[in-house]
Amino acid sequence: MKIGLIDVDSHHFPNLCLMKLSAYHKAKGDIVEWYHHSKQYDIVYKSKVFTEEYTTEENTVIHADKVIGGGTGYDLENKLPYEIEHCYPDYSLYPELTKNTAYGFLTRGCPRDCPFCIVSQKEGKQSIKVADLLEFWREQKTIKLLDPNLLACKDHVELLQQLIDSKSYVDFTQGLDARCINEKNAELLAKIKVKMIHFAFDDIKQEKSIVKGLKLYKEIANIPEYKTGIYLLTNFNTTHEQDLYRVKVVQELGYRPYIMIYNKKSAPKITKDLQRWANNRMIYYASGQKWENYNSKESFHYENKNGGKIL
């Protein structure tokens, strides 16, 4: 058969679903390629992660006997069959993005059921192990984990040890759950090679348990400030004053704040400014790590290495 693939969201981040579909069909001897409008296909797979708010889908005729669309951009019910879900991904689809980098899930699901997140609806209100590392990793130097809440899984100690044993750099692409931190997993996390590690402080009502976990991790792991960051959700159910309060809390704990904006189109300018200040490393340190220094100057700037000014 001739198989066509469409990454509706673009090619800026590897689509794991399409990589598994490609591997599955190639193993059966099928021809697999990115869809081209001038060709006819037996099956065309369209995968879409984001909703219409973030991804606009072209309304064009697709030349295929069958068109199959999947991903959270369409609905929360569609899932890959077991035999496809557990294929080793075809990284050749995204040669530049996946160069010496593995992508995958060790766990799925999350018990938190946060109102701004679809994971609990899509994957269940329990974090469960779905794979071992070898299912999607073959000694690549970097591992990008897409797990929504690895530390909430009862098997997370075993999985963290697999990451340690890999000796690869691990990028936890989702903020780790500080409420799940204990002495054992903090010690294991400290042994994993990371360029940067993030936790999440999204709900101000959970401050006590989150701060407790962050303090324990800092005490045991002793990771430097420049290698840690705390995701702070804004423009959802907090005021600017509450956002600044959380910023100061994480700074006092020895972490760097990282501002995440819910629906950036509707966010006020001050929230976008806060994100620019916190998330731009050069601006953040040039301001002395003080929002007041940045916000007090309408034309705050810093000198870059080449002597130019970035406003």
Side-chain angles (χ1 to χ4, degrees), residues 176-188:
L176 293 171
D177 192 339
R179 291 164 288 186
C180 296
I181 289 292
N182 55 46
E183 290 188 12
K184 176 64 176 179
N185 57 34
E187 290 173 356
L188 292 173

Side-chain angles (χ1 to χ4, degrees), residues 137-284:
W137 173 78
R138 295 292 186 274
E139 299 189 359
Q140 290 95 328
K141 291 183 179 179
T142 300
I143 299 166
K144 285 190 177 287
L145 279 187
L146 310 178
D147 300 44
N149 198 335
L150 172 63
L151 298 183
C153 175
K154 66 180 180 62
D155 301 306
H156 76 271
V157 169
E158 169 202 343
L159 297 173
L160 290 177
Q161 189 61 55
Q162 290 183 23
L163 296 173
I164 294 170
D165 295 341
S166 75
K167 296 182 172 57
S168 296
Y169 279 99
V170 178
D171 178 0
F172 296 96
T173 61
Q174 307 300 311
L176 293 171
D177 192 339
R179 291 164 288 186
C180 296
I181 289 292
N182 55 46
E183 290 188 12
K184 176 64 176 179
N185 57 34
E187 290 173 356
L188 292 173
L189 284 169
K191 295 177 182 178
I192 297 174
K193 290 172 63 176
V194 295
K195 294 181 180 178
M196 190 78 177
I197 191 166
H198 290 91
F199 292 93
F201 184 5
D202 296 324
D203 188 351
I204 198 167
K205 296 177 182 177
Q206 300 292 319
E207 178 185 356
K208 185 176 180 180
S209 57
I210 290 173
V211 167
K212 179 181 178 181
L214 292 177
K215 282 183 176 179
L216 181 59
Y217 177 74
K218 176 67 72 173
E219 176 186 335
I220 294 175
N222 196 28
I223 300 294
E225 186 263 357
Y226 69 88
K227 293 185 72 172
T228 62
I230 310 297
Y231 290 135
L232 302 175
L233 181 69
T234 62
N235 196 43
F236 183 71
N237 61 356
T238 56
T239 64
H240 178 64
E241 289 70 28
Q242 289 173 324
D243 295 340
L244 287 180
Y245 173 78
R246 285 181 296 155
V247 165
K248 291 183 178 180
V249 168
V250 301
Q251 286 180 320
E252 290 172 358
L253 291 171
Y255 294 92
R256 182 180 162 208
Y258 193 94
I259 304 299
M260 307 292 286
I261 298 180
Y262 184 85
N263 191 352
K264 197 164 186 176
K265 292 180 180 178
S266 69
K269 183 178 182 300
I270 197 166
T271 301
K272 295 177 182 178
D273 287 343
L274 184 67
Q275 182 185 57
R276 178 174 182 265
W277 164 73
N279 298 7
N280 187 306
R281 185 183 294 269
M282 295 181 72
I283 292 178
Y284 181 71

Side-chain angles (χ1 to χ4, degrees), residues 5 15-27 32 45 80-91 93-94 103-106 108 130-131 135-136 146:
L5 305 176
N15 186 297
L16 190 58
C17 174
L18 293 180
M19 289 195 288
K20 292 182 177 182
L21 284 164
S22 176
Y24 173 77
H25 280 284
K26 284 182 178 179
V32 182
Y45 292 102
L80 291 175
Y82 181 90
E83 64 273 18
I84 300 178
E85 176 64 39
H86 293 280
C87 282
Y88 182 77
D90 178 10
Y91 290 110
L93 286 183
Y94 300 88
Y103 291 77
F105 292 86
L106 294 173
R108 294 273 197 173
V130 295
E135 184 167 296
F136 58 87
L146 310 178

Side-chain angles (χ1 to χ4, degrees), residues 273-308:
D273 287 343
L274 184 67
Q275 182 185 57
R276 178 174 182 265
W277 164 73
N279 298 7
N280 187 306
R281 185 183 294 269
M282 295 181 72
I283 292 178
Y284 181 71
Y285 288 111
S287 70
Q289 305 175 46
K290 294 182 180 295
W291 162 251
E292 295 79 10
N293 291 344
Y294 173 80
N295 192 46
S296 64
K297 300 179 181 180
E298 294 183 1
S299 59
F300 178 91
H301 67 267
Y302 64 87
E303 303 290 336
N304 65 24
K305 293 181 179 179
N306 297 319

